[in-house]
Amino acid sequence: MQKSSRRVIIQALHESRLRPYIDASHGNEKLALSLYKWHMELTASVQQVLGVTEVVLRNSMDAQLRIWNKQEGGAEEWLLTDPEAPLRSLTQGKRKEALNRAKSEADKRQPGHQRYGQQPHHDDVLAQVTFGMWKELLPNHAPNASAETTENKNRQRLWRDALVFAFPQANDSDGYETYWRVVHIHHLRNRVAHMEPLLTVDVQDKMRNAFDLVRSIEPVVADWLTGASKVSQVLKQRPEH
């Protein structure tokens, strides 16, 4: 690629976005673009792992919340109507946002769609729930979090009565390990979603959080996901010259 073409690409992407790659390449713009291209492959491989992890996490937590809400006297499909306390207050805003998004998607169905004119099902809403809501249902073990707040007591109750069973392979009575795994995965997911550089991030360590979280739910799925992941392969291909 000619130098003039590289400048066109850098200007189109904007030098401020490419600055971390240029700095990592010690000003070598050819290497910086190679590094940026490699980084796109890395984030794609990371996103594949995170996407599966999120699906497995939400399905396992949802399954236990369905059981719990029914036992508490509410509907099994807790995302379609207000669930029982304290799940109601812990999910209020994000649950309603997910329901609204699901309704919006249902309204876009065209005649001929097999579910045209139908209201969204529980699973439709589940697919719209943000990763952040699952994190916020777990007991908060951040250094500045108090176990004595009403919100965190509610999380602890929900953990003891329901969500601990979503992670049957974990030895995690207070939810500490699960909380931090989910926090680290959520942070990485946000970085990838906003195309932030991972050049100085220990990606392998972050992937271990994802694999360990899935393993705490179902080891068979964790083995499959580990085998399917291309992250290690891509990391070895990082341009250095």
Side-chain angles (χ1 to χ4, degrees):
M1 182 186 297
Q2 294 182 347
K3 183 176 180 179
S4 59
S5 297
R6 288 198 294 271
R7 289 306 307 168
V8 170
I9 296 171
I10 290 172
Q11 289 172 5
L13 294 173
H14 204 282
E15 192 163 337
S16 62
R17 174 171 289 278
L18 281 175
R19 176 51 53 191
Y21 306 90
I22 294 172
D23 290 346
S25 303
H26 305 290
N28 185 327
E29 292 182 350
K30 181 179 180 180
L31 178 57
L33 284 180
S34 295
L35 198 58
Y36 189 83
K37 184 179 178 181
W38 166 82
H39 190 267
M40 290 192 294
E41 296 176 4
L42 176 63
T43 55
S45 64
V46 168
Q47 184 56 56
Q48 289 173 344
V49 173
L50 298 184
V52 173
T53 301
E54 181 173 358
V55 170
V56 173
L57 173 68
R58 79 185 185 201
N59 287 345
S60 189
M61 291 179 69
D62 172 60
Q64 295 304 322
L65 291 174
R66 284 176 181 248
I67 294 170
W68 175 88
N69 202 55
K70 187 175 181 180
Q71 289 175 340
E72 293 293 311
E76 184 176 344
E77 296 181 331
W78 62 275
L79 286 168
L80 297 179
T81 58
D82 284 343
E84 300 303 301
L87 183 57
R88 185 190 307 119
S89 61
L90 289 173
T91 62
Q92 189 80 3
K94 289 184 169 58
R95 178 169 44 81
K96 290 188 175 181
E97 289 171 4
L99 181 57
N100 288 336
R101 286 193 293 268
K103 287 179 177 178
S104 178
E105 289 299 313
D107 290 342
K108 294 176 184 176
R109 294 173 187 150
Q110 299 296 314
H113 191 286
Q114 61 181 358
R115 292 179 57 201
Y116 175 72
Q118 295 183 20
Q119 291 297 307
H121 296 169
H122 181 92
D123 288 343
D124 298 322
V125 185
L126 182 64
Q128 297 293 335
V129 172
T130 63
F131 193 99
M133 194 186 88
W134 304 116
K135 182 192 72 172
E136 291 172 13
L137 286 176
L138 300 172
N140 189 337
H141 289 280
N144 61 346
S146 171
E148 299 305 314
T149 64
T150 299
E151 192 171 40
N152 226 8
K153 285 183 177 179
N154 286 338
R155 292 187 183 113
Q156 292 162 7
R157 174 190 164 192
L158 204 59
W159 174 262
R160 290 192 304 268
D161 294 350
L163 293 180
V164 66
F165 304 112
F167 308 91
Q169 305 304 317
N171 182 16
D172 193 20
S173 60
D174 61 357
Y176 179 89
E177 286 189 356
T178 302
Y179 169 79
W180 282 113
R181 284 169 180 163
V182 172
V183 166
H184 292 146
I185 293 167
H186 184 237
H187 182 254
L188 180 62
R189 183 185 182 278
N190 286 345
R191 292 199 64 153
V192 170
H194 292 98
M195 297 182 66
E196 294 181 19
L198 303 177
L199 300 176
T200 59
V201 174
D202 187 342
V203 176
Q204 288 282 42
D205 182 64
K206 303 302 181 184
M207 288 296 93
R208 279 191 288 272
N209 278 302
F211 298 140
D212 287 346
L213 182 67
V214 175
R215 191 170 303 281
S216 72
I217 297 170
E218 177 46 75
V220 172
V221 180
D223 289 343
W224 170 78
L225 181 58
T226 304
S229 170
K230 297 180 180 179
V231 174
S232 295
Q233 177 184 344
V234 174
L235 283 171
K236 293 175 182 176
Q237 297 170 350
R238 174 171 176 161
E240 299 293 347
H241 304 288

